Amino acid sequence: MPHDYVELSNIDRPPGSADSSQRAPRASGVRALLCDSAFQREALLCGVLIGLWYSLSGLLLVCNKWLFGASERNFPFPLFVTSVQMLTQYVLASLCLWLFPSLQPTHKASWPAYLSCAVPCGVASALDIGLGNISLQTITLTFLTMCKSSSLGFLLLFAFLFGLERMRLALVAVVAIISVGVGLMAAGEVNFVLVGFLEAIGSAAMGGLRWSLTQILLSQAHFGMPNPVATMANLTPIVGATTLLLSLALEHPLSEMGHNPNTDSLRGALTMALLMVTGGFVAFGMVLSEFSLIARTSALTLSIAGMLKEIAVVGVAHAVFGDHMSPMNLSGMLVALLGIGLYNWLKLHDMLSSAAVHAGHAA
């Protein structure tokens, strides 16, 4: 199962020191956790994954805003672009499974298991990504980022429903604080567009469902997705097919793309195709780091780390696209940061409590 801490009872001991706890006093609390070599390795690896995720996610968001924004390239086919990026990710994941046979699952999920979890996860992923990209046509990257912060509340709701998190008043309070922060950020938006806001909130809701289902797929062996690459190989066809069907129904790319200034010439079409495939490469690295983090921690921890990423994206949007924040926007972001800090304190408290229990059993 996914874990949020490294058990202190599993610390490696030198040969011949079966009971080293009798020779020196056992460190306790934060000091014991920080001195644990296993915890240090795990924290370093998670830090590298988070840094990779932040970088690739920010790059993909900036590229998508540049493609879809009305004041930038104004390419009105975000769902079609998403389907091409999913095809690229599927090809890359399949190539990894072929090059590294050890990543291939030992068995495949049954059709009932696949239909009950993998398909809903794929559809939720398609709606999460698709709605987010569509909203960039009418709202700023900053406002989308702030709206997506509410995905933590939806994620916690689904985590409670699926039994991934224990219902606690403290966690509910943290989500309430973050939700208030998001509400303040939305209320302070000067260029408020209702349709774009609803699309962004819908994306956040689907994101919460998506990551909860992804955690289930990665943590239960009978789904046949024991690692992030195998998960991507199974999910990306569902996501790609869903977004392509939505694109054909809503965007009409086959008849409209030839009239768009970006693709009305061979050179322009090839340039856009290259940009879409490049976005797929970036998305592959981003999703791989996301899935790896979920496999090592949990979907809720990923969402908390994502809050900090989104704040960084707001800074990038301000620098690249000239997006502005009102005083109320800033106040809402500070409230959301308070909620993040409280959650991290809760997680540290849980880790210390678990470490104390394991240390007591080992004594």
Side-chain angles (χ1 to χ4, degrees):
M1 290 293 290
H3 52 83
D4 278 313
Y5 60 88
V6 176
E7 297 180 0
L8 294 185
S9 59
N10 292 333
I11 301 175
D12 293 334
R13 293 174 178 170
S17 57
D19 191 13
S20 59
S21 61
Q22 296 179 359
R23 303 179 184 178
R26 180 186 299 271
S28 60
V30 176
R31 181 184 174 189
L33 194 64
L34 296 179
C35 292
D36 179 12
S37 60
F39 174 81
Q40 291 171 354
R41 290 193 299 269
E42 190 74 10
L44 178 61
L45 178 57
C46 288
V48 170
L49 290 172
I50 288 174
L52 183 63
W53 175 40
Y54 282 15
S55 302
L56 296 176
S57 178
L59 177 60
L60 186 63
L61 279 171
V62 170
C63 290
N64 284 343
K65 175 59 179 176
W66 181 74
L67 278 176
F68 308 136
S71 58
E72 285 80 35
R73 297 286 292 197
N74 194 24
F75 190 63
F77 307 102
L79 292 171
F80 181 79
V81 171
T82 302
S83 65
V84 173
Q85 292 177 347
M86 288 298 149
L87 174 61
T88 304
Q89 292 180 62
Y90 173 73
V91 171
L92 292 173
S94 300
L95 182 61
C96 287
L97 291 177
W98 179 68
L99 291 174
F100 306 100
S102 60
L103 295 176
Q104 296 182 6
T106 55
H107 69 281
K108 293 185 177 181
S110 63
W111 275 108
Y114 190 79
L115 293 174
S116 66
C117 193
V119 171
C121 183
V123 174
S125 300
L127 293 175
D128 174 18
I129 300 168
L131 288 172
N133 286 342
I134 291 173
S135 70
L136 288 173
Q137 295 178 306
T138 54
I139 63 177
T140 64
L141 178 56
T142 296
F143 191 44
L144 170 63
T145 301
M146 291 187 292
C147 291
K148 289 281 285 184
S149 301
S150 63
S151 63
L152 175 63
F154 293 108
L155 175 55
L156 188 57
L157 173 63
F158 289 119
F160 288 153
L161 291 176
F162 298 149
L164 301 176
E165 288 284 340
R166 179 170 55 89
M167 177 72 77
R168 289 187 292 168
L169 182 60
L171 279 179
V172 174
V174 164
V175 172
I177 291 172
I178 294 176
S179 300
V180 169
V182 173
L184 288 173
M185 289 188 285
E189 177 63 18
V190 177
N191 301 314
F192 183 83
V193 179
L194 179 60
V195 173
F197 172 73
L198 293 177
E199 289 167 347
I201 291 298
S203 174
M206 291 298 99
L209 176 59
R210 167 195 185 185
W211 292 121
S212 295
L213 292 174
T214 299
Q215 181 174 341
I216 294 175
L217 290 173
L218 286 167
S219 63
Q220 299 184 18
H222 69 276
F223 286 112
M225 303 181 196
N227 59 71
V229 175
T231 306
M232 291 180 69
N234 280 276
L235 291 183
T236 47
I238 303 172
V239 181
T242 303
T243 51
L244 181 58
L245 290 174
L246 291 174
S247 175
L248 293 174
L250 301 175
E251 298 173 342
H252 310 290
L254 298 180
S255 59
E256 299 294 332
M257 199 172 293
H259 305 294
N260 187 270
N262 293 289
T263 51
D264 59 358
S265 66
L266 179 60
R267 181 177 180 181
L270 291 176
T271 299
M272 294 304 295
L274 179 61
L275 289 173
M276 286 186 277
V277 172
T278 301
F281 274 84
V282 175
F284 176 78
M286 181 194 71
V287 175
L288 189 62
S289 61
E290 288 174 335
F291 284 4
S292 298
L293 278 170
I294 289 179
R296 306 193 73 85
T297 58
S298 72
L300 190 58
T301 298
L302 179 79
S303 183
I304 291 295
M307 292 287 291
L308 297 175
K309 171 188 68 73
E310 288 163 359
I311 292 171
V313 170
V314 169
V316 172
H318 176 76
V320 176
F321 300 110
D323 294 353
H324 298 289
M325 293 183 65
S326 68
M328 189 173 292
N329 285 149
L330 182 59
S331 299
M333 184 165 289
L334 292 176
V335 172
L337 278 173
L338 173 63
I340 293 173
L342 289 175
Y343 175 81
N344 288 332
W345 181 85
L346 284 173
K347 279 297 178 183
L348 179 60
H349 181 270
D350 290 344
M351 285 191 291
L352 294 176
S353 299
S354 298
V357 169
H358 289 294
H361 291 163

